[in-house]
Every structure is written in structure tokens, then in C-alpha cells.
Amino acid sequence: MTLPMGTSTLELDRTGVAPRALIDPFARSINYLRVSVTDRCDFRCVYCMSEHMSFLPKADLLSLEELDRLCSAFVDKGVTKLRLTGGEPLVRRGIMTLFASLSRHLDSGALKELTLTTNGSQLDKYAKELKSYGIDRINVSLDTLDADKFRAITRWGDLNKVMSGIDAAQAAGIKVKINVVALKGVNEDELGPMVEWAHGRGMDMTIIEVMPLGDVGETRLDQYLPLSMVRARLATKYTLDDIDYQTGGPARYVRVKETGGRLGFITPMTHNFCETCNRVRITCTGTMYMCLGQEDAADLRTPLRASESDALVHAAIDDAILRKPKGHDFVIDRRQKRPALSRHMSVTGG
Ligand code: SAM
Ligand code: SF4
């Protein structure tokens, strides 16, 4: 076999083909994969899901072994950061076996980070085990510290469970970042106290703008709070110094002088963060989305199931990357009653 110059046999993947790094048409290098391992969840957050959701039939889901194979195909192609999300990743039955098997890529050095985004409800049960598989940092989504408000936002959630989950993660030595969605008239007055709480416990915090994904039975305009306003309000009480901190995600960080902690802002609506996009997503049915904010998708389940070799999957991934768009075009508009995209965040993963 003739190898491209500079390719050693060690660099050959399971198909015997030299893996290609994933570079999109805008010269962005794609090294971050987010995997929605289930569309189901034990909460029904008002901005994410409607109260009565219909979920995918279980028969459509990739098995945990197939998810492992698909994730590993992306690792072969140069993905170095893998985040499992959902729905709620920790409610998928047997999910620990997927973390366990994927941790071999941490051991080999191919993956730099294996992590998850969770609502925290099952963390007290799984934190220690997650740590043993090399999960060092996680994101926990939490929009309020008020138990009644928490119940109203999540419809079904119990704040105490999440708090003991966060305790368990920190006790296990996992670094926790708190993700807060800014919700107009709901938690806007609480964001300052939440920053103090998170930083007081040694956790970074990130504030996220509501994105128009999926019909949730509420008008987005009622929920949407531009982070420019949030930041301006926080700046009346705290000193926010811009810092050059990068986690491989789209957040822009400041250091809050009074607490000494880091605060991130994710602003898909008021500031387009697409120029530096380094990620793609796959769903639990093996559909690949090249952009969270566009409909275009690629089916990876068919090539995955068509052959035991990964050659077809690798080719499908390469083709899909060539279709990665320049950016999203989310708009929250009074005249537009429908969501910008019909699929919910829980399908593609946040
Ligand atoms: N269930 C897990 C959780 O809540 O962390 C993981 C999946 S959830 C879809 C991932 C993140 O997306 C959460 O931080 C959630 O707050 C956020 N999210 C969900 N719907 C959103 C929306 N419409 N706009 C902005 N963020 C959203
Ligand atoms: Fe579930 Fe997370 Fe969506 Fe809330 S944001 S409903 S916890 S998937």
C-alpha cells in the first residue's frame, strides 16, 4: 500500500486507510463531537421541551455498542473532545458501559477530554464511577437556586436531588461548571446571587441565551433575555474583566473581581459565535448535524450498519464535513410564531 508522505503505519485506522483530519470548507478544524445519547429526560424544562413530548421509538436508537463505534470513528478522524449529552444522558440505561468503553481513548491519548452535560438529577448515583472513567469536568444545568422556581422551570425536577448530585461530583474530585439559561422575568434577578454561589463553591458559571429550537408551547419572546442586558446589569454590581480563557466551547469569559471566579457568556442570538466553530453533533439515531442551527443532516446509521469495516462511515463523515455551513441563522422575531428549527434541543443535544 502506498501511504501519503509522512504517514506511518501507526497512523492507519481500522480500515487500513490513513485517517483525514476533519477540516470544513471554511478552514475550521473539527475536533469536538457532541453526542446526544437519548432524546428522553426526567425533566421537562419549559424552554427545552413541551409538557407532552413524543419520543423516538426505542427501536430507532443506536445501541450503546453502535454509539461506541460511531464515536470511535470520529476519534479516528481526529476528534479529541467528546461530550455526551441528550436529553438527559444519565437516564439512558447502561450508559456507564459507554463511558467505560470510551475511556480507552483517554488511556491511549487519542482523546484529550471525555465529558458530559447533565441536569444533575442522577449524579449522586454516578459521580464516583464517572470519575473512575476519567471524567474530570462536567457541566451541570441549573437555572435557579429556588426550589419552587426550579420545579416551575423543570416541571418535574427536585432541586435537592441536583444539589446532592453537585455535592457528589465535587466530592469525587470532578470539576463542575454551572450552565444557566437566562430567562426573562424568571431568573434574571437571581443571576448575581447564582454567580456568588457558584464561585463560592469553586465552580465556573456560564450564562446562555435561549435559542429558538423546537415548539415548546410557550412564546420565545416571553423567555428571551439578551445577554448584553444581563451583562450590563451584572456590571453595575460586579467588576467584569475580559479574560482570554478557552474551553473549546463558544463561551466568552470574564473574571469577576469580587468573587475571583470565571463567568462565561454564550450568546448565539446577540453575537454570532460561528467563526470559531469546531464541533459537530450526532443524535442517538446516528444522524449527524453539522450545525445546531441548521436543518441539514447526514445519516451515519446506514453506513454504520452496512459494513463491519468503518470505511463507509469515515467516507460519510468526510462528505458531511464538506457541507458544514458557515453559521446558523437563528432569529427570534415577533412576526415569526414558529420556532426557527422544528427539532428540540433535546434531540441534537445542547
Ligand atoms: N439534560 C442535560 C442538561 O439539561 O444539562 C443535557 C441536555 S440539555 C438539552 C443541554 C443544555 O441545553 C442545557 O444546559 C439546557 O439548559 C440547554 N438548553 C435546552 N434548550 C435550550 C434552548 N432552547 N435554548 C438555550 N439553551 C437550551
Ligand atoms: Fe431535560 Fe436538559 Fe432539556 Fe431540561 S434542558 S428538559 S434537563 S434535556
Side-chain angles (χ1 to χ4, degrees), residues 32 34 81 83 137 139 177-180 204-209 211 227 231 242-254 262-268 271-279 281:
Y32 181 6
R34 290 188 169 217
K81 178 168 173 178
R83 177 180 297 279
R137 296 194 310 164
N139 290 350
K177 177 163 78 74
I178 300 294
N179 279 348
V180 185
D204 289 350
M205 183 172 128
T206 300
I207 308 179
I208 306 171
E209 276 173 348
M211 289 173 255
L227 290 199
R231 185 174 169 152
D242 285 313
I243 52 173
D244 197 19
Y245 174 66
Q246 292 288 337
T247 57
R252 315 225 155 168
Y253 279 88
V254 297
R262 277 187 296 244
L263 174 64
F265 295 93
I266 300 189
T267 55
H271 184 280
N272 201 314
F273 52 33
C274 305
E275 326 70 270
T276 55
C277 185
N278 59 349
R279 67 196 52 197
R281 295 171 157 86

Side-chain angles (χ1 to χ4, degrees), residues 5-210:
M5 266 207 337
T7 309
S8 79
T9 44
L10 282 178
E11 288 168 313
L12 295 181
D13 66 14
R14 286 189 294 258
T15 62
V17 176
R20 265 210 329 247
L22 298 174
I23 308 286
D24 82 357
F26 304 94
R28 294 171 298 195
S29 166
I30 309 303
N31 51 23
Y32 181 6
L33 176 69
R34 290 188 169 217
V35 187
S36 176
V37 295
T38 175
D39 62 333
R40 288 162 200 254
C41 187
D42 52 344
F43 292 0
R44 291 288 180 279
C45 300
V46 290
Y47 48 80
C48 178
M49 294 195 182
S50 63
E51 192 158 11
H52 305 287
M53 292 285 290
S54 37
F55 294 106
L56 294 162
K58 290 214 167 119
D60 286 358
L61 304 193
L62 295 185
S63 67
L64 293 171
E65 292 74 18
E66 287 173 323
L67 277 171
D68 179 288
R69 214 183 123 201
L70 200 47
C71 291
S72 303
F74 276 92
V75 173
D76 287 341
K77 292 221 135 275
V79 159
T80 55
K81 178 168 173 178
L82 202 54
R83 177 180 297 279
L84 303 197
T85 173
E88 174 48 41
L90 296 182
V91 301
R92 170 121 192 209
R93 189 172 304 183
I95 192 65
M96 286 300 123
T97 60
L98 183 60
F99 281 106
S101 65
L102 288 174
S103 70
R104 72 187 182 281
H105 298 302
L106 288 172
D107 298 338
S108 76
L111 261 190
K112 290 198 187 110
E113 186 167 32
L114 174 61
T115 183
L116 77 153
T117 301
T118 173
N119 65 24
S121 70
Q122 314 292 314
L123 262 183
D124 50 355
K125 195 159 66 193
Y126 291 129
K128 259 196 185 153
E129 205 177 341
L130 285 167
K131 177 71 184 172
S132 76
Y133 301 138
I135 284 76
D136 291 332
R137 296 194 310 164
I138 60 173
N139 290 350
V140 177
S141 307
L142 178 63
D143 304 321
T144 177
L145 297 175
D146 176 300
D148 294 333
K149 229 189 257 183
F150 185 78
R151 170 67 60 146
I153 294 172
T154 60
R155 293 195 182 101
W156 297 359
D158 173 0
L159 181 64
N160 280 331
K161 270 302 261 163
V162 175
M163 288 301 180
S164 31
I166 293 173
D167 290 344
Q170 289 196 304
I174 299 176
K175 265 195 159 26
V176 177
K177 177 163 78 74
I178 300 294
N179 279 348
V180 185
V181 175
L183 297 165
K184 188 154 91 185
V186 178
N187 63 1
E188 54 182 301
D189 294 336
E190 242 194 293
L191 297 170
M194 284 192 78
V195 170
E196 291 185 28
W197 168 78
H199 290 176
R201 293 188 53 145
M203 304 185 289
D204 289 350
M205 183 172 128
T206 300
I207 308 179
I208 306 171
E209 276 173 348
V210 172

